[in-house]
Amino acid sequence: MVLAAEFMKGFIRMADDGCRQGWHERNGGNLSYRLKPEEVDAIKPNMTPAGHFIKIGVKAENLAGEYFLVTGSGKYFRNIAAAPQDNLGIVELDQQGEGYRIVWGLEKGAVPTSEFPTHIMNHRVKKAVTKGEYRVIYHAHTPSIIALTYVLPLTDKEFSRVLWTMATECPIVFPDGVGVVPWMVPGGSKIALATCELMEKHDVAIWAHHGMFCAGPDFDTTYGLMDTVEKAADIYLRAMSCGQGIRQTISTDNLREIASAFHVKLREEFLD
Ligand code: 13P
Ligand code: ZN
């Protein structure tokens, strides 16, 4: 019943697609989805809530009582489709939005991803700024973006400009650009707060020397965003590896032309 749910199938397909891209070595990366009320109702008979709530380390009042499908800590994406109940779980948040309990899956003693604080804080911000539309938070270890964090200045503007200009469709796919979190210890509330601050303005947050977080309304859009940003980084690396630098590119005027033709608003502070 739970495994037959459309959101479960979409989640597993996305995890498999990310794995095939080479973004999920070992247990790298994690994924979470905020369930819709009707999806919760449909699987309620299959829930077996663990007794007590466990503190997350961050608080999200606007997510009180909500349910999330989330990958387990230390779990390998490549194993998800073969044994979803061991590698994924559905968790319920308490009425304060600061504790969780497992209601399905994460069997054999598993727990939600170590990046659960960042997922929850990103969901908190995105639910607020998109008026409930966004439901997916995705973290992947995307090699080309990680490589760029070793060679480009770690600023939102530098990364946004480079990535926007690496393919004509990029500014249409992520008109708000990307945010960059400097190197930080992963897995706690500090990096969660730094990331969700950027998520107020962008759908993409890059973690220096680590990977990327993307947010979106559904699995297709969020996966597509990760794929587009990573591909832009890959194009930059390929162009630079020809050894003569960037000779010509999409100009600021061209970016403005794209914005006007496709009716998107590019973040002005990245355009001067
Ligand atoms: P988890 O296995 O706890 O999800 O950690 C993987 C990861 O990518 C940490 O940033
Ligand atoms: Zn990671």
Side-chain angles (χ1 to χ4, degrees), residues 73-185:
S73 185
K75 300 300 183 185
Y76 292 28
F77 267 48
R78 64 187 293 270
N79 292 335
I80 289 176
Q85 70 286 353
D86 293 343
N87 296 287
L88 309 177
I90 297 174
V91 301
E92 174 191 6
L93 257 53
D94 64 18
Q95 290 306 314
Q96 292 71 44
E98 60 184 356
Y100 77 86
R101 65 177 175 182
I102 298 167
V103 298
W104 178 89
L106 290 174
E107 290 179 5
K108 302 173 188 150
V111 294
T113 170
S114 57
E115 307 296 0
F116 199 46
T118 296
H119 281 257
I120 285 300
M121 290 307 284
N122 287 347
H123 278 294
R124 174 190 157 164
V125 165
K126 284 304 185 190
K127 184 183 176 188
V129 299
T130 70
K131 299 189 172 45
E133 192 196 350
Y134 275 29
R135 295 189 172 274
V136 181
I137 301 292
Y138 182 31
H139 170 54
H141 293 177
T142 43
S144 297
I145 278 289
I146 296 170
L148 283 199
T149 67
Y150 289 93
V151 295
L152 286 182
L154 296 174
T155 66
D156 303 348
K157 182 172 180 178
E158 191 72 32
F159 269 76
S160 297
R161 283 300 298 239
V162 163
L163 296 169
W164 273 350
T165 53
M166 285 306 120
T168 298
E169 303 264 305
C170 283
I172 305 162
V173 176
F174 49 101
D176 287 319
V178 304
V180 183
V181 180
W183 185 88
M184 290 176 81
V185 174

Side-chain angles (χ1 to χ4, degrees), residues 25 27-30 115 139-141 186 207 210-213:
E25 80 291 343
N27 65 309
N30 23 78
E115 307 296 0
H139 170 54
H141 293 177
W207 280 5
H210 185 143
M212 201 180 348
F213 267 86

Side-chain angles (χ1 to χ4, degrees), residues 51 217 264 266:
V264 293
L266 298 180

